[in-house]
């Protein structure tokens, strides 16, 4: 309810851009004070994103995700145009050009002017989304950080904090991170095992990770998210192939 009041007030005083900004501010207030509400403001089904107890509408999921994106983009103290373009391309792929353009106007405001509370946003999403969705969020955030050609320590720290707020384990975070930071141990980290693991443990870990990251788990989501799931799945397969060749399995 607050989000629509904010949109109306913003529209009256600042026009279209004010209406969008008012909606975002109202949404954050809704999330903070009324996050027990399971109704959908748009009338659309939110089941694909939600748990059995609480749900999130596609619109709210989208805006909360954009807020997390803004945190990563601003983590190193500057706003990279290549990182902004990466987010824009992702949303165009997921939602189409028209909707993505409207959303991105809001995103520009969020990135440049708003202070976002990651812990509150993640608590909201954790209550309302499946684990595989939250894994994909962190994978996407690493993609943003890498878009300008390098991932700073401050960006890694922010993503690590967000992953923790989203209820992901340290092993899951390191697995996703290893998909972007290649070194001698990357293949093992992707499979969430130590380099000292036995051949049998390697095979078991591969089966578990292939199941965990199988693209079918995100078939209910838009194309961009499914593409991200396929990328993670390929990384798991490549990691297993690397270990097989290294050990002669």
């Amino acid at each position: 309810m607050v989000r629509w009041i904010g949109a109306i007030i913003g529209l009256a005083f600042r026009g279209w851009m004010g209406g969008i900004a008012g909606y975002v501010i109202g949404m954050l207030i809704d999330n903070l004070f009324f996050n027990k509400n399971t109704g959908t403001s748009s009338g659309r089904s939110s089941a694909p994103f939600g748990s059995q107890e609480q749900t999130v509408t596609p619109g709210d999921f989208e805006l909360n995700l954009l807020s997390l994106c803004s945190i990563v983009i601003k983590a190193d103290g500057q706003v990279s145009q290549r990182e902004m373009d990466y987010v824009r391309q992702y949303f165009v792929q997921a939602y189409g050009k028209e909707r993505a353009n409207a959303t991105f106007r809001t995103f520009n405001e969020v990135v440049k002017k708003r202070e976002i509370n990651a812990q509150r946003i993640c608590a909201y999403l954790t209550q309302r989304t499946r684990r595989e969705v939250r894994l994909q969020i962190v994978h996407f955030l690493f993609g943003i950080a890498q878009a300008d050609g390098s991932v700073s320590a401050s960006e890694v720290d922010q993503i690590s904090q967000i992953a923790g707020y989203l209820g992901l384990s340290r092993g899951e975070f390191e697995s996703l991170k290893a998909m972007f930071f290649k070194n001698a141990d990357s293949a093992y980290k992707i499979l969430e095992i130590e380099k000292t693991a036995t051949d049998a443990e390697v095979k078991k870990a591969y089966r578990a990770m292939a199941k965990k990251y199988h693209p079918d788990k995100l078939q209910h989501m838009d194309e961009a998210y499914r593409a991200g799931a396929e990328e993670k799945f390929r990384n798991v397969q490549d990691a297993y192939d690397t270990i097989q060749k290294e050990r002669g399995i």
Side-chain angles (χ1 to χ4, degrees):
M1 183 65 178
V2 176
R3 69 196 68 189
W4 297 114
I5 295 173
I8 292 169
I9 294 172
L11 187 64
F13 286 93
R14 295 290 182 177
W16 174 244
M17 285 299 294
I20 295 174
Y23 180 90
V24 173
I25 295 170
M27 180 203 70
L28 294 175
I29 294 172
D30 271 347
N31 292 351
L32 177 58
F33 293 105
F34 304 106
N35 62 5
K36 296 296 183 182
N37 183 6
T38 60
T40 61
S41 59
S42 63
R44 292 175 294 181
S45 171
S46 59
F49 301 98
S51 66
Q52 293 181 349
E53 295 181 356
Q54 299 189 55
T55 57
V56 57
T57 67
D60 283 355
F61 176 82
E62 176 184 318
L63 289 171
N64 277 288
L65 177 60
L66 282 172
S67 295
L68 295 180
C69 293
S70 73
I71 291 173
V72 174
I73 287 175
K74 294 190 291 185
D76 56 6
Q78 56 186 354
V79 176
S80 164
Q81 186 60 48
R82 280 186 288 180
E83 292 178 348
M84 294 281 283
D85 289 343
Y86 180 91
V87 176
R88 181 186 182 86
Q89 182 180 0
Y90 195 90
F91 272 75
V92 168
Q93 184 183 3
Y95 303 115
K97 190 173 182 179
E98 183 177 348
R99 179 176 165 189
N101 284 342
T103 301
F104 210 76
R105 286 192 288 270
T106 302
F107 182 47
N108 283 326
E109 290 294 310
V110 171
V111 169
K112 294 175 183 177
K113 298 180 181 179
R114 307 293 179 195
E115 290 298 323
I116 305 297
N117 188 309
Q119 189 171 8
R120 289 197 189 111
I121 290 172
C122 291
Y124 177 81
L125 291 174
T126 299
Q127 292 173 344
R128 293 163 171 80
T129 58
R130 302 170 184 171
R131 195 174 198 85
E132 55 266 26
V133 173
R134 285 176 271 137
L135 287 166
Q136 179 55 30
I137 288 173
V138 173
H139 184 269
F140 175 47
L141 296 178
F142 269 119
I144 296 170
Q146 196 185 55
D148 62 356
S150 63
V151 182
S152 68
S154 57
E155 288 173 326
V156 173
D157 288 344
Q158 283 287 2
I159 297 173
S160 174
Q161 192 173 66
I162 288 170
Y165 290 153
L166 288 172
L168 304 184
S169 70
R170 190 67 193 178
E172 288 172 325
F173 168 76
E174 292 294 341
S175 173
L176 293 166
K177 177 183 172 184
M179 296 179 186
F180 295 87
F181 290 83
K182 301 298 183 182
N183 56 47
D185 296 331
S186 294
Y188 292 92
K189 288 181 179 179
I190 289 172
L191 296 186
E192 296 186 26
I193 55 175
E194 299 293 334
K195 202 167 184 177
T196 55
T198 65
D199 290 351
E201 288 171 335
V202 169
K203 293 177 181 178
K204 181 179 179 181
Y206 167 68
R207 289 193 296 270
M209 295 301 291
K211 181 178 180 181
K212 181 177 186 175
Y213 286 139
H214 199 283
D216 285 352
K217 289 184 176 290
L218 290 179
Q219 281 302 305
H220 60 284
M221 298 193 72
D222 293 291
E223 180 183 347
Y225 302 100
R226 295 197 302 269
E230 290 167 2
E231 183 180 345
K232 293 199 302 296
F233 190 67
R234 284 194 300 271
N235 273 285
V236 169
Q237 292 178 311
D238 289 345
Y240 184 55
D241 289 344
T242 297
I243 296 173
Q244 280 185 308
K245 291 175 183 177
E246 176 186 303
R247 297 187 174 203
I249 299 175

